[in-house]
Amino acid sequence: MTAPLGKDLLGLERLSAEQISLILDTAEPLKEISERTIKKVPTLRGATIVNLFFEASTRTRISFEFAEKRMSADTVNVAAATSSVTKGETLVDTARNLEAMKIDMVVIRHPSSGAAQFLADRIDSNVINAGDGTHEHPTQGLLDLLTLRERWGTLAAKRVCICGDVLHSRVARSNIWGLKKLGAEVAVCGPRSLLPGAITELGVHVFDRIEQAIEWADALNILRLQLERMTGGYIPSLREYNRVFGVTRERLDRAQRDILILHPGPMNRGVEIDSDVADGPHSVILDQVTNGVAIRMAVLYLLAGNSPRLADAAKGG
Ligand code: CP
């Protein structure tokens, strides 16, 4: 098995279209494993993976853990709040101590942009970025791409609008890179206070009104307002935000065509998305979650090809 992704998965910006397609193509058949009664293959038997989470997570942490367990890896979860980080230990010291216990891979979520790269440059284990600050969340971007590709067959010339708090969103950045590399047209829509100043340099359209975005798009990827990262008055109120930018059934119905609805979660129902949209016929939000396990299995499998020891185990799978 070759090592087509290199040592680490840090972001989609640095991956080629071929590498992204390889991950999606690898993930697709892996979905079947999660449908089995006994959801386990021996592919990563012998591998030790640490899930190092310095920020809260439901979907990403649990689906990485399922992916690891379904491929028979040994996994350990480390939450910053219950580790020696609370006593002042640095990220690198934490990781080096884990490496001294002979681990193979680290999955890291961290509030600082660049933390995954920082770690990858300093340890020998494979590093997978599970979301770093406002930089990237590559496996979320990949699972969004897989969900759209499943529905459409191809992303080429499809129009995807990323709506809401783009400023604080690592999901937005990974989506923009991934979608554009696979040939989609990308737009963003939100209040100017929640769009990065240089957003057009990424080659995306900008809509100031959600009605224009809905008119244009084949899919909306609706982002959570990240209130915990907001230190100033970015929006007048949640109620005002919903009134002006909320994706409502009434607004979607006016488009008179099917528009796929994605949301990375967790959702603020009644703020950026109304419940009858989130739970409605065009929502693929739970498909995203299902695909997240397969994408993470694919990434683990492909990165294992970088390690001679793990590659041998993977061949046996
Ligand atoms: N989409 C996502 O990253 O969700 P979690 O924060 O629950 O992992």
Side-chain angles (χ1 to χ4, degrees):
M1 181 178 172
T2 56
L5 300 185
K7 177 173 125 10
D8 311 299
L9 177 70
L10 302 176
L12 299 194
E13 180 179 3
R14 62 185 68 199
L15 294 190
S16 65
E18 292 70 31
Q19 287 172 312
I20 292 172
S21 296
L22 173 69
I23 299 171
L24 305 188
D25 293 345
T26 305
E28 242 165 17
L30 292 174
K31 285 182 71 172
E32 182 270 330
I33 294 167
S34 296
E35 302 295 333
R36 298 183 192 171
T37 312
I38 297 173
K39 301 171 177 54
K40 224 171 185 63
V41 292
T43 312
L44 291 181
R45 195 167 50 201
T48 304
I49 304 177
V50 176
N51 301 314
L52 193 52
F53 276 67
F54 290 81
E55 265 188 358
S57 169
T58 298
R59 280 146 290 267
T60 311
R61 186 181 59 73
I62 293 171
S63 69
F64 263 113
E65 198 177 342
F66 277 144
E68 292 154 4
K69 286 184 171 14
R70 287 175 194 178
M71 299 185 96
S72 303
D74 295 319
T75 69
V76 177
N77 294 319
V78 180
T82 53
S83 75
S84 289
V85 168
T86 55
K87 301 175 196 163
E89 186 162 63
T90 65
L91 172 60
V92 170
D93 278 338
T94 303
R96 285 193 179 139
N97 276 275
L98 294 169
E99 276 205 313
M101 294 182 232
K102 308 299 175 195
I103 61 167
D104 298 296
M105 294 189 185
V106 177
V107 176
I108 178 170
R109 168 167 289 194
H110 200 281
S112 301
S113 301
Q117 173 81 66
F118 182 81
L119 194 62
D121 291 344
R122 286 161 180 81
I123 65 173
D124 294 329
S125 306
N126 305 100
V127 174
I128 301 174
N129 182 5
D132 61 329
T134 59
H135 171 231
E136 280 222 41
H137 190 348
T139 55
Q140 179 70 44
L142 290 163
L143 72 88
D144 292 344
L145 295 174
L146 181 61
T147 304
L148 292 171
R149 200 180 75 165
E150 273 179 349
R151 293 288 172 144
W152 292 334
T154 176
L155 289 160
K158 291 293 187 182
R159 294 174 159 187
V160 180
C161 186
I162 301 166
C163 304
D165 185 359
V166 179
L167 183 67
H168 299 101
S169 177
R170 50 202 178 204
V171 175
R173 281 163 193 72
S174 290
N175 263 268
I176 291 170
W177 291 118
L179 286 163
K180 287 185 66 68
K181 283 171 199 246
L182 295 193
E185 274 192 74
V186 184
V188 295
C189 175
R192 288 285 168 157
S193 59
L194 290 176
L195 299 181
I199 189 73
T200 51
E201 288 173 21
L202 296 180
V204 301
H205 308 278
V206 178
F207 293 114
D208 291 310
R209 293 179 57 81
I210 193 69
E211 292 83 357
Q212 295 170 325
I214 290 171
E215 183 83 7
W216 177 86
D218 298 309
L220 302 177
N221 198 342
I222 304 163
L223 302 174
R224 179 175 73 89
L225 278 188
Q226 297 197 34
L227 300 168
E228 75 280 12
R229 292 192 211 274
M230 294 186 191
T231 51
Y234 289 89
I235 52 166
S237 69
L238 297 182
R239 195 172 157 162
E240 180 75 358
Y241 183 86
N242 179 256
R243 197 180 65 74
V244 179
F245 286 101
V247 179
T248 63
R249 186 65 177 264
E250 191 193 1
R251 284 185 167 133
L252 282 182
D253 284 348
R254 270 192 231 129
Q256 294 191 329
R257 66 201 161 79
D258 293 351
I259 299 173
L260 292 181
I261 299 296
L262 297 91
H263 192 305
M267 288 185 273
N268 295 308
R269 289 174 181 261
V271 182
E272 70 267 3
I273 185 169
D274 280 4
S275 277
D276 51 6
V277 174
D279 305 327
H282 305 307
S283 170
V284 291
I285 292 170
L286 292 178
D287 297 338
Q288 292 173 264
V289 179
T290 301
N291 285 338
V293 178
I295 281 292
R296 286 157 184 139
M297 289 170 89
V299 167
L300 295 166
Y301 172 74
L302 292 168
L303 287 183
N306 186 60
S307 150
R309 199 175 67 75
L310 294 183
D312 283 345
K315 270 188 216 143

